[in-house]
Amino acid sequence: MFSTTYAVKTQSPLLSGSRRRKGGFLRPLLTLLVLLFLPPAVPHLLSLRTPGPPARPADAIFVLTGGEGRIQEGYRAWSNGAARELYILGAGRRVPIARIVPEASQLPPEALSRIHVEGWSENTLENAFSAKSAVGEGKYSSLILVTSDYHVPRAYLAFRKVLPPEASVSVIRVRPEGGAGASWRWARRHFLEGWKYWGYRILLRWE
């Protein structure tokens, strides 16, 4: 008569405990990463619905200085007839227009009179209040905001909060130039601006 013996494999308690510790470490880490990167991503995803320039010319273009290519893009759009007036906000005090837009020196006086340089505003919220003053004086009903793509969520929020609700706001996004480290700069700017957006949401809630 034969007897059969079965071997039952058992898991080492040390190995089981190691896996539990590893799983217990990964879950909080993944949760932390989601909490760190998801909130700043949301404003940029939502801003994809921000309207682009209208088919008909707007009353004015407002360029927010401080980022590469913004002034050139705003001037190009204005030259192509996207709006009647061009405002360059936050350019610095007593800075000649020929230094800001060299091409403007070739313009006739009538066209040159439709370029306005403002130098007192130093941040996005001040830019919005400067634009509000110009919109009120000019009785503008439509305007185009020109700023960097990573800056759009916060800038559009500030302009939409400060400007009269009847004034329509569309956006021209300025893409930064490439080159070494472009991907890192893109990620860093979007991350920081995403968190700044939520700071503005809190700040403007009390305005």
Side-chain angles (χ1 to χ4, degrees):
M1 188 174 187
F2 297 97
S3 61
T4 305
T5 304
Y6 295 96
V8 179
K9 292 184 178 180
T10 59
Q11 189 177 51
S12 168
L14 293 177
L15 182 59
S16 177
S18 174
R19 288 180 178 176
R20 283 198 298 270
R21 286 194 299 271
K22 185 177 181 181
F25 171 75
L26 284 178
R27 280 191 292 271
L29 177 61
L30 292 175
T31 301
L32 177 61
L33 291 175
V34 169
L35 293 176
L36 183 63
F37 290 101
L38 182 59
V42 169
H44 296 292
L45 294 174
L46 294 178
S47 75
L48 296 177
R49 300 182 297 179
T50 305
R56 297 177 58 184
D59 293 324
I61 291 175
F62 290 87
V63 180
L64 310 189
T65 58
E68 59 188 28
R70 296 181 188 179
I71 296 176
Q72 293 86 342
E73 187 64 33
Y75 181 80
R76 184 182 302 112
W78 176 79
S79 298
N80 291 334
R84 174 172 173 77
E85 307 290 329
L86 173 63
Y87 289 81
I88 301 174
L89 308 180
R93 299 183 184 277
R94 295 185 295 276
V95 179
I97 190 171
R99 180 179 173 185
I100 301 171
V101 186
E103 301 92 330
S105 60
Q106 308 298 323
L107 294 175
E110 188 279 330
L112 192 59
S113 68
R114 292 188 281 113
I115 300 179
H116 316 273
V117 178
E118 175 267 290
W120 67 266
S121 62
E122 297 181 352
N123 56 55
T124 305
L125 192 55
E126 290 181 352
N127 290 159
F129 278 105
S130 176
K132 180 182 180 181
S133 177
V135 167
E137 291 177 4
K139 295 181 171 54
Y140 303 143
S141 61
S142 61
L143 61 98
I144 299 173
L145 172 64
V146 179
T147 191
S148 302
D149 57 352
Y150 59 85
H151 188 228
V152 167
R154 185 161 60 101
Y156 185 80
L157 171 68
F159 270 60
R160 197 60 284 167
K161 177 69 175 181
V162 171
L163 294 180
E166 62 271 14
S168 66
V169 180
S170 57
V171 173
I172 292 178
R173 300 168 176 268
V174 181
R175 310 270 179 198
E177 297 179 359
S183 298
W184 164 248
R185 289 195 300 272
W186 181 92
R188 177 178 175 275
R189 287 167 174 170
H190 279 74
F191 177 79
L192 294 176
E193 277 295 331
W195 280 113
K196 287 181 181 180
Y197 169 89
W198 293 114
Y200 262 48
R201 289 281 296 193
I202 297 171
L203 173 65
L204 293 173
R205 186 179 181 86
W206 304 104
E207 287 291 332

